[in-house]
Amino acid sequence: YDHTPIISVKPVKCETLDSTWKNVDTEPGLPVNTKIEVTLSCPVDHVNKGGDKATCQNGEVVPINNPPQCRANCQSVDPELKIEVKKSHLPAQHGTEITFNYRCSQKDANKGRNVKAVCWDGEIIFLDGSPECLQLGLQFLFSFLISELSYLN
């Protein structure tokens, strides 16, 4: 008779995603057993700028290539900017350049001009010729992008 104790090992499950993966969904849903592959996706109003597959390895969901990066699409212009948008390309996907034909709510000489902007993770960043009624511009964009890049590193 062998007196070696029998050790029961439960399979390790993946129950949560990495906390830095914002707005990421999995199919199949969590929890999943180890070695199971999941598809990573973003909500309808977001775009994934990263990887879309991962596997469960020892209780951790590990991306196959790159981690997912769900970036929000731009739905509207911030009402605090007090501009009336006549023509736009909204909603716009993250990273898309947009040309607005704007008219400031205030009475100023800049009415009826086109201005370029870019959709960046749900925010509309104005790139050029921002009139007084548009309080964002290149300086804001550069500081925003620098903070975004430092976040990714």
Side-chain angles (χ1 to χ4, degrees):
Y1 173 71
D2 185 4
H3 294 289
T4 308
I6 299 172
I7 299 172
S8 168
V9 178
K10 276 184 157 180
V12 178
K13 290 186 180 237
C14 291
E15 303 206 10
T16 61
L17 294 174
D18 184 311
S19 63
T20 62
W21 297 1
K22 303 291 183 208
N23 300 308
V24 177
D25 296 319
T26 66
E27 181 59 42
L30 300 180
V32 295
N33 290 328
T34 197
K35 297 184 181 177
I36 298 294
E37 183 176 294
V38 294
T39 300
L40 307 170
S41 63
C42 301
V44 173
D45 58 346
H46 288 63
V47 63
N48 187 353
K49 293 294 188 176
D52 65 349
K53 297 276 184 200
T55 56
C56 176
Q57 297 177 11
N58 299 319
E60 184 179 345
V61 179
V62 178
I64 291 175
N65 292 320
N66 298 311
Q69 294 180 14
C70 291
R71 301 292 188 190
N73 294 329
C74 295
Q75 304 298 326
S76 62
V77 177
D78 183 350
E80 288 184 22
L81 292 177
K82 297 184 173 124
I83 71 168
E84 298 170 25
V85 179
K86 286 183 173 179
K87 281 185 181 178
S88 69
H89 302 286
L90 295 178
Q93 250 193 12
H94 166 79
T96 303
E97 188 173 292
I98 309 158
T99 301
F100 287 102
N101 181 325
Y102 70 86
R103 193 177 96 211
C104 295
S105 298
Q106 308 157 356
K107 293 181 180 178
D108 76 311
N110 293 317
K111 284 188 175 183
R113 196 175 141 221
N114 288 336
V115 65
K116 290 186 191 250
V118 67
C119 173
W120 193 263
D121 200 13
E123 299 290 327
I124 295 177
I125 311 296
F126 292 94
L127 300 175
D128 63 349
S130 300
E132 297 79 50
C133 69
L134 301 176
Q135 298 168 6
L136 303 176
L138 283 174
Q139 185 175 9
F140 176 81
L141 174 65
F142 286 106
S143 64
F144 181 81
L145 291 176
I146 288 169
S147 69
E148 184 73 15
L149 290 173
S150 65
Y151 168 76
L152 293 175
N153 291 333

